């Protein structure tokens, strides 16, 4: 599920969009719906977006402060504009990736990926104590995975700084 969430969040999913247009077998659709009710991908998507926003904002604001300092400018002067920019960007992202818009695409992915029997087996697993344990621990796994991702992005600060320079140059025009 984490892989599917990450894939959905980071790619265009052109094939899933095509599959969303076709009707899913009623029994299979019911299994997909049951799996979604057990696994709560809507909550995981919301958590992913929140963690992404926090990580991005932290890196972007640090880079922004560094660039402004290099130009001997007070970064606090631009904080309101910076926060509006971040809010606009994440409002757009949240709208585009809302569960209402993503759910049919997830259903299409599950339909493409799993047979009816596999879905029945997956649903049965999630109803077991081990399945419930996995679901309960999933947020912790996602948080730890996000922390690993943030650590990996630490090396991207130079690239973020270049992007921030362009942003600052636009502010000065």
């Amino acid at each position: 599920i984490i892989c599917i969430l990450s894939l959905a969040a980071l790619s265009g999913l052109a094939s899933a969009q095509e599959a969303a247009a076709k009707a899913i077998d009623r029994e299979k659709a019911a299994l997909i719906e049951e799996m979604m009710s057990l696994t709560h991908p809507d909550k995981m998507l919301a958590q992913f977006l929140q963690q992404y926003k926090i990580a991005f904002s932290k890196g972007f604001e640090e880079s922004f402060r560094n660039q402004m300092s290099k130009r001997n400018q007070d970064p606090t002067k631009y904080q309101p504009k910076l926060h509006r920019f971040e809010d606009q960007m994440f409002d757009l992202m949240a709208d585009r990736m809302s569960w209402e818009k993503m759910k049919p695409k997830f259903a299409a992915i599950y339909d493409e990926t799993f047979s009816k029997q596999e879905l029945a087996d997956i649903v049965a697993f999630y109803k077991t104590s081990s399945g419930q344990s996995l679901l309960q621990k999933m947020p912790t796994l996602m948080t730890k995975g996000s922390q690993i991702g943030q650590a990996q992005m630490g090396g991207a600060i130079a690239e973020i700084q270049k992007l921030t320079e362009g942003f600052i140059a636009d502010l000065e025009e």
Side-chain angles (χ1 to χ4, degrees):
I1 291 172
I2 292 173
C3 292
I4 293 171
L5 269 174
S6 297
L7 179 63
L10 300 175
S11 71
L13 295 175
S15 63
Q17 289 175 343
E18 292 170 12
K22 75 171 187 155
I24 299 174
D25 169 87
R26 284 183 189 222
E27 290 177 31
K28 199 171 184 184
L31 287 166
I32 291 169
E33 190 65 37
E34 186 173 8
M35 185 169 72
M36 286 183 186
S37 73
L38 289 167
T39 60
H40 305 286
D42 54 331
K43 292 178 184 175
M44 287 191 282
L45 179 60
Q47 183 180 8
F48 168 80
L49 289 171
Q50 184 60 34
Q51 289 175 345
Y52 181 79
K53 180 179 181 178
I54 291 167
F56 177 85
S57 292
K58 181 180 175 186
F60 184 73
E61 289 180 23
E62 182 180 327
S63 178
F64 180 78
R65 281 190 303 273
N66 289 339
Q67 292 302 315
M68 296 307 287
S69 294
K70 285 180 183 178
R71 295 170 184 251
N72 295 319
Q73 292 188 28
D74 179 13
T76 59
K77 174 181 170 183
Y78 299 102
Q79 282 303 112
K81 287 183 179 183
L82 179 66
H83 288 282
R84 274 194 305 275
F85 171 74
E86 288 177 338
D87 288 345
Q88 289 172 342
M89 185 177 65
F90 284 105
D91 286 348
L92 174 67
M93 189 173 166
D95 177 62
R96 294 278 177 103
M97 300 211 31
S98 71
W99 180 241
E100 293 76 27
K101 292 178 181 174
M102 297 296 289
K103 185 177 179 180
K105 294 170 180 25
F106 276 77
I109 290 169
Y110 293 141
D111 181 43
E112 286 179 358
T113 305
F114 301 110
S115 69
K116 207 181 299 185
Q117 184 59 54
E118 288 170 328
L119 287 166
D121 293 345
I122 292 167
V123 166
F125 168 72
Y126 282 132
K127 289 181 176 181
T128 67
S129 60
S130 294
Q132 288 298 302
S133 176
L134 175 64
L135 292 171
Q136 288 174 340
K137 294 173 183 174
M138 191 67 66
T140 301
L141 292 171
M142 288 182 67
T143 299
K144 288 181 179 183
S146 177
Q147 290 168 346
I148 291 169
Q150 288 174 21
Q152 287 295 112
M153 288 303 296
I157 290 177
E159 293 175 55
I160 293 171
Q161 287 175 340
K162 286 181 184 177
L163 292 172
T164 305
E165 286 175 11
F167 172 70
I168 293 168
D170 287 345
L171 287 177
E172 294 176 345
E173 291 179 0

